[in-house]
Amino acid sequence: MSILGRGLVLAGHARAAQRRLAARNPRRAQEASLASLVRRAEMTSFGQRYGFSGISSVKSFQARVPLRRYEDLKPWFEQALAGNKNVTWPGKIRYFGMTSGTTAGNKYLPISADSVRQQQRGGFEPIASYLSWTRDSKLLDGKVLMLGGSPKLEERACGVLVGDNTGVMARHVPRALHGKYLPSATTRGIANWDDKIREAAREAVAEDVRMLVGTPAWFPGLFDRVLGEAKLRGKGADTICDVWPNLSFLTGGGVAYEPYRGLIEARLGRRVPYVETYSATEGGILGVQDDPRDPSMLLLPDNGIFYEFVPEADVGLENPRRYTLWEVEKNAVYAIAVTTMSGIFAYLIGDCLRFTSVFPHRVLFEGRTAAFVNVQGEHVSQGELERAVLRASRELAARLVDFTLTTEVGIDGSSAARHVYWLELEGPTPDLVRFAQVIDCDIAAQNDDYEVHRGTSHGLHAPDVRVVPRGTFHEWMRTRGKLGGQNKIPRLILREEDRALLQKTAENLGNGTRT
């Protein structure tokens, strides 16, 4: 075992032990994080406006600082984006991460130098989990392939740089990965996602890739490119592990891994450990899978971020209840708010989490707060949809590529409605009537409101399942300008124009044409 390998394994085990200790008493870590964040921002414009000097506890913080959405914090962020110092965080914010908002257009979120360092540390979290499970001392003897945004950032006033959060972090690759990081800077800078994937495959096909980082939805496409490139070079490779025999570890986030597991493992040729993460532009990795038998993720109480949770029933209320990490309940769904070292305070990031356990606090991503299906009062979450579709796929041996859901209201001129599932599959099409029945029963078993509304003649009709041609979702995303490392297929399409474009794209591909 090399010195680097031994040190890496020891560091992984040490961090895993530290996480377990913090998880037993999250209140101590969380109160310390909040006190530090408030103290650091006390003399900023935001801190003076909300009397940070008088904050001495969680309760006093909540009394002085209201929960905010992006629109509420946008005026403050715009001041910092213009190059002003000491707005919500000490000094000048050099980076802003841009995300696509469904209701507020593009969102520009500050990423301070402190946050960059915190996210660098956070990048070790999935590695620590993997090493604590395997003691793999040779992980960094090969290359790490990372699929992310472009490090080419747009320069704004006073040298402020704007771009994808993964592109920002690509400029700050940890020293341990220097010389081990793929793809090249030139390829990382390619704006077109299809071209980037193609070039990444060309560069990586002859390398000893041992670790892959990215959004699972993009793994199958990358693997197909790599296998195609291997065949062009005369390599007898039927699976990815024929090309990369030492591939040991996959990690990523943005979407759940399970819906894509079948596609990914069929291309890998063998099971490769995957570590799930929960991350956000607002703070990097917030949660990480710490048990290989449990897909839920340990929320990290000691990463410098203070969390608050709003019960699902309170989302949208003027004065919602605000719970700390140590106050939440098992199996309950909450919207998450964060306070971070980028000067983001009590900010509702738009995600809902379900706590699968407390002490330690593990979560599953349940969906976006704006993405609950609710045409008849059924309040179905993204997590419930995904679990139901995954169960149907398994029961009917369907190889699911991706899916989304739309709704139809006013069926046959009545007040009835139904959920419409659009599936892209690889291989034979299953019995779609049976597929819909399994989805229907599974969601009813998870969700009492859904079951009630399915039982009324003028409520929800049985779901409708439709199959679209291969490549439909990729082409739909490309047409909308949404291909990229941090973009993913929405599980719920709310806008009629997006639904119409999806249907048109499917029809065109079915006819052999492109939009």
Side-chain angles (χ1 to χ4, degrees):
M1 185 185 295
S2 68
I3 294 175
L4 175 61
R6 184 183 300 113
L8 191 67
V9 170
L10 289 174
H13 279 260
R15 176 53 188 154
Q18 187 181 44
R19 289 192 314 221
R20 289 192 293 270
L21 182 63
R24 285 198 290 267
N25 187 4
R27 181 170 185 168
R28 178 186 300 170
Q30 282 285 278
E31 288 182 334
S33 293
L34 180 62
S36 175
L37 292 164
V38 168
R39 185 173 61 252
R40 291 284 305 278
E42 184 176 320
M43 300 309 296
T44 64
S45 299
F46 191 91
Q48 292 181 26
R49 165 66 177 80
Y50 288 98
F52 277 20
S53 60
I55 293 175
S56 59
S57 66
V58 171
K59 293 301 180 186
S60 59
F61 173 77
Q62 292 176 334
R64 290 173 182 262
V65 183
L67 288 172
R68 301 297 189 95
R69 298 184 184 275
Y70 180 76
E71 294 83 355
D72 304 315
L73 288 171
K74 183 179 178 181
W76 296 94
F77 293 163
E78 286 181 337
Q79 291 182 49
L81 186 59
N84 294 313
K85 297 180 179 179
N86 304 316
V87 180
T88 65
W89 195 250
K92 176 182 173 180
I93 300 294
R94 184 184 179 194
Y95 298 117
F96 274 76
M98 186 177 73
T99 65
S100 297
T102 56
T103 59
N106 289 335
K107 299 180 181 180
Y108 299 92
L109 298 166
I111 304 172
S112 69
D114 296 295
S115 182
V116 168
R117 289 188 289 270
Q118 175 251 328
Q119 291 192 50
Q120 284 179 317
R121 293 191 297 271
F124 185 65
E125 297 291 355
I127 298 175
S129 290
Y130 169 73
L131 293 173
S132 71
W133 305 343
T134 65
R135 305 184 72 88
D136 182 1
S137 63
K138 297 183 178 180
L139 180 64
L140 292 186
D141 286 357
K143 295 294 180 72
V144 177
L145 176 57
M146 298 185 183
L147 299 178
S150 172
K152 292 182 178 179
L153 307 178
E154 177 189 350
E155 186 169 349
R156 297 289 184 91
C158 303
V160 174
L161 301 174
V162 175
D164 190 302
N165 185 56
T166 58
V168 171
M169 295 311 300
R171 293 181 164 222
H172 298 274
V173 176
R175 189 180 302 274
L177 295 183
H178 287 185
K180 298 179 179 294
Y181 181 30
L182 295 171
S184 66
T186 300
T187 295
R188 293 199 304 272
I190 296 175
N192 182 279
W193 185 252
D194 285 330
D195 292 342
K196 180 183 291 188
I197 291 291
R198 183 182 64 250
E199 291 304 315
R202 287 177 179 173
E203 291 180 3
V205 68
E207 299 285 354
D208 179 17
V209 174
R210 302 200 177 194
M211 175 177 167
L212 175 61
V213 182
T215 301
W218 300 114
F219 288 178
L222 169 71
F223 291 163
D224 288 343
R225 290 283 192 181
V226 169
L227 289 170
E229 189 65 26
K231 287 183 173 61
L232 286 176
R233 300 189 187 192
K235 294 187 176 184
D238 296 318
T239 69
I240 286 297
C241 288
D242 292 333
V243 180
W244 299 327
N246 295 315
L247 183 63
S248 305
F249 170 42
L250 312 175
T251 187
V255 298
Y257 184 70
E258 283 303 318
Y260 304 96
R261 181 185 290 277
L263 290 176
I264 291 169
E265 292 186 349
R267 289 159 170 78
L268 287 172
R270 61 175 168 84
R271 177 162 286 200
V272 175
Y274 178 83
V275 177
E276 195 86 65
T277 65
Y278 171 56
S279 61
T281 299
E282 292 82 358
I285 290 180
L286 309 181
V288 64
Q289 185 181 2
D290 68 325
D291 182 341
R293 300 159 298 182
D294 184 351
S296 57
M297 296 159 286
L298 181 73
L299 207 61
L300 302 171
D302 62 343
N303 64 346
I305 294 172
F306 178 71
Y307 308 110
E308 294 178 86
F309 302 93
V310 174
E312 178 190 352
D314 286 17
V315 173
L317 297 182
E318 187 174 348
N319 293 300
R321 290 167 289 174
R322 298 166 69 170
Y323 294 132
T324 59
L325 184 59
W326 59 92
E327 294 172 327
V328 297
E329 296 180 353
K330 182 180 177 180
N331 293 325
V333 176
Y334 300 89
I336 181 174
V338 297
T339 292
T340 80
M341 57 185 70
S342 282
I344 299 173
F345 292 95
Y347 175 60
L348 287 158
I349 66 178
D351 289 349
C352 280
L353 306 178
R354 181 185 299 275
F355 281 86
T356 61
S357 72
V358 293
F359 303 101
H361 290 77
R362 294 191 179 96
V363 298
L364 289 175
F365 177 72
E366 199 67 11
R368 298 288 290 172
T369 54
F372 279 66
V373 191
N374 192 32
V375 291
Q376 294 280 345
E378 65 271 33
H379 297 96
V380 177
S381 73
Q382 176 177 323
E384 289 166 339
L385 297 174
E386 288 189 338
R387 288 188 286 272
V389 172
L390 186 58
R391 178 178 175 182
S393 298
R394 287 171 173 168
E395 287 197 12
L396 280 79
R399 295 180 65 177
L400 183 69
V401 175
D402 232 317
F403 84 94
T404 193
L405 180 141
T406 61
T407 60
E408 290 183 353
V409 181
I411 298 172
D412 298 328
S414 71
S415 60
R418 68 182 169 193
H419 297 173
V420 180
Y421 292 81
W422 304 74
L423 310 180
E424 186 174 325
L425 303 170
E426 185 175 82
T429 299
D431 180 341
L432 297 183
V433 173
R434 177 61 185 150
F435 201 102
Q437 290 171 344
V438 175
I439 289 175
D440 196 25
C441 292
D442 194 81
I443 294 180
Q446 297 182 72
N447 187 308
D448 291 341
D449 289 336
Y450 179 87
E451 185 178 29
V452 168
H453 286 281
R454 278 287 291 119
T456 62
S457 59
H458 296 289
L460 281 174
H461 282 200
D464 184 30
V465 176
R466 304 171 186 178
V467 174
V468 299
R470 283 287 275 124
T472 294
F473 284 115
H474 184 94
E475 181 68 8
W476 180 69
M477 293 287 280
R478 184 194 65 79
T479 303
R480 296 168 63 237
K482 295 292 185 179
L483 279 182
Q486 286 193 312
N487 291 312
K488 51 261 187 187
I489 307 300
R491 289 294 180 241
L492 172 63
I493 296 178
L494 298 171
R495 299 197 315 165
E496 173 58 27
E497 53 265 43
D498 287 336
R499 187 211 61 78
L501 180 60
L502 176 65
Q503 183 169 339
K504 180 181 177 183
T505 302
E507 290 171 352
N508 286 340
L509 286 179
N511 294 328
T513 61
R514 288 165 62 94
T515 55

